[in-house]
Amino acid sequence: LNAFIVPAFQHRHQHGVVITQGTGRVLLGEKWQDLSTSDAVFIDADEIHQLEATGSAPLGFICVIPRWAENDSCGVSAK
């Protein structure tokens, strides 16, 4: 099992995630959803979210955020 886990976070900005390789799951609020290559996820502003790899291959993804959020230190751990 791949040990990749992004801690639960929330941000002031919306963003999208596109899975480029591997399998995993995403926590949106209180619900987990499975992910695989080519899946896309919309994460609303201030929504608690977390990514976790579930397969033997690395979980690759692209995260798209608004330009104004590039230098924003608004990531707040949900734990």
Side-chain angles (χ1 to χ4, degrees), residues 20-71:
T20 58
Q21 78 174 43
T23 58
R25 62 186 193 152
V26 62
L27 175 67
L28 297 174
E30 297 181 9
K31 184 177 179 184
W32 286 98
Q33 295 187 355
D34 292 331
L35 298 171
S36 60
T37 302
S38 300
D39 284 346
V41 179
F42 173 78
I43 302 168
D44 209 352
D46 295 318
E47 183 170 31
I48 294 174
H49 58 285
Q50 181 175 6
L51 290 171
E52 180 177 280
T54 58
S56 59
L59 179 63
F61 60 91
I62 297 169
C63 183
V64 181
I65 63 171
R67 185 174 194 102
W68 63 263
E70 284 180 3
N71 298 315

